Amino acid sequence: MSFLKNKNLGLILFGGKGGSGKTTSATATALYLQKTTKKKILVVSTDPAPSVGDSFDVEIGNKITQIKDNLWAIEFDSKELLEDFKKKNLKIIKTLVERGTYLSREDVEVVEGLAIPGMDEVMAIIKIADLLKTKEYDLIILDTAPTGHTKVLLSLPEAMERWMGVMDLMLAKHRFLTRLWRRRYSEDETEKFLKEKKADITEVKDLLKSPNLTEFVPVTIPEPMSILETEDLIEHLKELEIKVESIITNQILLPGECQFCKEKAKFQEEHIEMIEKRFKKFQIIKMPLFPKEIRGEKDLLEYAQILFGEKEYQLSIPEKALPKFPSLPKAKMADFLEKDLNFIICGGKGGVGKTVMAAATAIALAQKHKDKKILISTTDPAHALSNVFAQDIPLDTKVVPLKDFSNLFALEIDAQKMLKKWQDEYRQDIDTVFREFIGGGMDIAFDRKVMEELMELSPPGLEELMALGKIMDLMKEDKYDIYVLDSAASGHLLRFLELPEIIRDWLKGIFKILLKYRNIAGLVEIKRKLLDFSKDIKKIQETLFGSKKTEFVMVSIAEEMGVREMGDLAQSLEKLNIPYNYIVLNRIRPASHCKFCLTKRESQEKYIAKVKKEYPKKEVVLVPLFSYDIRGAEPLKELSKFLFG
Amino acid sequence: MAFLIDDLLLLPFRLGLDIAEKIRDMAAEELEDTPEKLQRELLDLEMALEIEEITKKEYEKKEKDILARMEALKKEESKQK
């Protein structure tokens, strides 16, 4: 029984590629259920660039905000959640670290203030566990981040259980020693904390796997990238034993009146067939593309009525004279190719066409600079490069040449595989170290177990860490002249960009501790490695930030959510000192005579004007919506010609 | 790369082992200059610069001093040969 009918559900998750309408579906469902049931409902956004507030047209943020009777919403802010968590638990965590490692209390103080990469998802799981514990809500509706990071989020409860197992093991030594001295051992605060947290996480894990209580609703649109991502997501959900019953297929076009709409609808038909074929095990809920943005209670309820099958969709465009719009001006990005750039990052909200823009840019560079080698890569765990180039680019740690080009290469980083490789390499090292220490007694035996367990864990933020590490390695090898990065959606892009600074902070903390032991012989190898590492990071920082060698290309769409997210991203870029000169507004409707196109275009023009006004110093590049998919070398070359002349 | 997680994540443990080992050896530590000791001093100096405990100027001055001692040590060794 799907979420449309199942009254027992306690948790509904909406997920999919950026721009498919996850948030709209989540908030509309919440409003509908608020109207038709007596349940107490909480909508939670785990997206670092949340839009639940935009959708409800209410200011929300990281606090539970009442929307209506029995309906609340919160947009998780992982930084604030982490602060809260620290405030409450810092003392215990310090004790844990102190007991579990060789660090002294003083050393622990040094590392305490440091940020940990990848904590967003960890904090989200802990907060969800806390919310469940309060039992204040009958139903939690989760609006998730784009696919890649949602996969990380959902795998976390299991990973976290293991982490806590390791922490428990770290304490085992302490338990053993205490027992040795005092001949008895009673559980203290730290142990209780660990046990309790572990139980909370187990509860989240169990809830996710309970088919009666939980349902994941993938939201997709009839476009190849979205379909592929959905397939990948469903595969992952199956592994995690999370129930999927129905799939929302969003933004379906009605047969339009103009040539463009007709063409587009025809293209869509193929993709809808593909969806029906590939997902035939599931109930497919078809939702139309509305001529206007869906925001606020009235719009959402209308959307919900169609979603819940209460109403047939009828295209209604108010009768009024629609203005004429000029055809799009020529894109003025030719200058871009003249710059002496080392690094180009394409970023923006999910589903605005970052990957396509990155690919078109890489192609333009490859064609312009025949003597240079260009590498296109991605920090997005959703991996869309294969699709856009219509070439199988295996998830790997190796670079593959792109057919049709002599100087263009692609890399889809497989973070898990990189981790595995590292584990295999170092397992032996660790073995040797311990063998040398045999005879060290019980103490060492415990450490060995901890080390072994620790080796098996993937650290939080793995995807970003690996992407950064791989890029650093490649830069060191000096094999490529220009790197084009297709980034993850803006929230996670920022997380990636902040990573070098976080690592440097950690290194500084470690250096401080190491310098305390300056008179002790040894540690030479480790010190050397850390210093080299610190220098590499510095180099990447110098290349990325405040440098003429790096430029960011802002990609967005002319819609409220696109423009708003762009504003946040622009601010962060200023702070990080990453220059950007071009704003690409993608998917502009043609100025045809048809009412549907014109209504859409009218709303887009409003945002185009807004962007031009708010960013007077930037070159705003308008890119049309195409009736066909941009996939494979030829259409990409076309697009690159449009952009760069 | 591997190093990223390797030494960062495991440092507390590796550090522990190394320190345990070194404390054991500490008794044998010489006060005189040895190539190892000087290299260590150089690394510590670099680290101090990284965390801005010393300025670039101080660093250069001390580095010069250590390099001079290294030179002296080398001369001493070749003399003995």
Side-chain angles (χ1 to χ4, degrees), chain A residues 436-478:
Chain A
E436 281 168 13
F437 269 93
I438 276 198
M442 210 49 210
D443 223 24
I444 299 296
F446 276 119
D447 289 335
R448 188 196 175 103
K449 189 91 183 81
V450 169
M451 287 281 276
E452 277 170 1
E453 289 285 323
L454 211 53
M455 290 273 301
E456 297 300 322
L457 303 178
S458 10
L462 176 73
E463 315 281 337
E464 278 89 3
L465 270 171
M466 291 296 154
L468 182 70
K470 188 75 200 174
I471 290 165
M472 278 171 53
D473 282 356
L474 288 169
M475 276 177 75
K476 250 170 129 172
E477 286 170 30
D478 219 4

Side-chain angles (χ1 to χ4, degrees), chain A residues 360-617:
Chain A
T361 307
I363 287 175
L365 288 163
Q367 286 177 327
K368 170 95 184 174
H369 307 285
K370 295 265 186 230
D371 54 327
K372 287 187 176 169
K373 281 179 155 183
I374 288 110
L375 178 78
I376 180 165
S377 187
T378 173
T379 63
D380 189 352
H383 306 289
L385 289 180
S386 300
N387 183 61
V388 78
F389 282 103
Q391 176 182 336
D392 185 33
I393 302 165
L395 256 188
D396 203 345
T397 53
K398 285 193 206 91
V399 173
V400 292
L402 286 169
K403 56 178 193 204
D404 305 311
F405 305 95
S406 59
N407 56 340
L408 185 54
F409 304 82
L411 171 68
E412 290 253 36
I413 299 161
D414 187 339
Q416 287 297 335
K417 201 169 175 175
M418 276 183 84
L419 180 72
K420 193 95 195 55
K421 216 171 126 196
W422 163 77
Q423 286 169 338
D424 290 343
E425 265 172 40
Y426 279 76
R427 192 164 289 125
Q428 260 186 327
D429 267 15
I430 287 169
D431 238 41
T432 322
V433 172
F434 276 102
R435 213 168 305 128
E436 281 168 13
F437 269 93
I438 276 198
M442 210 49 210
D443 223 24
I444 299 296
F446 276 119
D447 289 335
R448 188 196 175 103
K449 189 91 183 81
V450 169
M451 287 281 276
E452 277 170 1
E453 289 285 323
L454 211 53
M455 290 273 301
E456 297 300 322
L457 303 178
S458 10
L462 176 73
E463 315 281 337
E464 278 89 3
L465 270 171
M466 291 296 154
L468 182 70
K470 188 75 200 174
I471 290 165
M472 278 171 53
D473 282 356
L474 288 169
M475 276 177 75
K476 250 170 129 172
E477 286 170 30
D478 219 4
K479 264 196 196 150
Y480 304 94
D481 304 294
I482 305 175
Y483 297 85
V484 180
L485 266 191
D486 164 33
S487 70
S490 30
H492 292 96
L493 165 66
L494 290 177
R495 181 162 116 174
F496 172 74
L497 292 173
E498 283 163 359
L499 196 56
E501 190 63 41
I502 292 177
I503 297 179
R504 284 257 290 160
D505 287 346
W506 270 94
L507 285 171
K508 281 184 188 165
I510 292 168
F511 289 154
K512 255 184 219 155
I513 295 172
L514 280 175
L515 275 174
K516 279 193 2 192
Y517 303 109
R518 68 172 95 211
N519 293 325
I520 299 174
L523 296 175
V524 168
E525 193 201 342
I526 258 188
K527 284 179 183 172
R528 182 78 271 160
K529 264 180 160 182
L530 286 169
L531 276 166
D532 285 348
F533 186 48
S534 180
K535 280 176 194 152
D536 287 348
I537 294 267
K538 226 196 263 172
K539 206 155 83 198
I540 205 167
Q541 281 181 312
E542 278 164 10
T543 316
L544 282 180
F545 308 116
S547 137
K548 287 206 166 66
K549 293 272 180 194
T550 294
E551 184 156 333
F552 188 87
V553 178
M554 181 80 85
V555 188
S556 190
I557 46 173
E559 279 178 22
E560 173 71 28
M561 288 183 199
V563 171
R564 189 181 290 218
E565 210 174 300
M566 185 176 108
D568 294 342
L569 186 55
Q571 261 184 8
S572 307
L573 289 174
E574 299 278 336
K575 243 189 261 163
L576 286 166
N577 203 359
I578 298 181
Y580 72 102
N581 295 299
Y582 299 92
I583 295 174
V584 177
L585 288 180
N586 199 4
R587 306 196 167 174
I588 307 293
R589 281 263 157 182
S592 68
H593 58 84
C594 112
K595 268 196 274 175
F596 190 87
C597 287
L598 282 179
T599 312
K600 275 252 167 222
R601 176 70 179 264
E602 193 186 21
S603 130
Q604 289 182 329
E605 285 289 336
K606 202 175 79 196
Y607 291 108
I608 295 171
K610 191 174 167 191
V611 169
K612 282 188 173 161
K613 201 177 143 211
E614 280 177 22
Y615 303 87
K617 285 191 185 143

Side-chain angles (χ1 to χ4, degrees), chain A residues 321-334:
Chain A
L322 285 161
K324 276 206 162 60
F325 299 107
S327 52
L328 295 186
K330 266 208 142 63
K332 289 184 204 134
M333 289 186 76

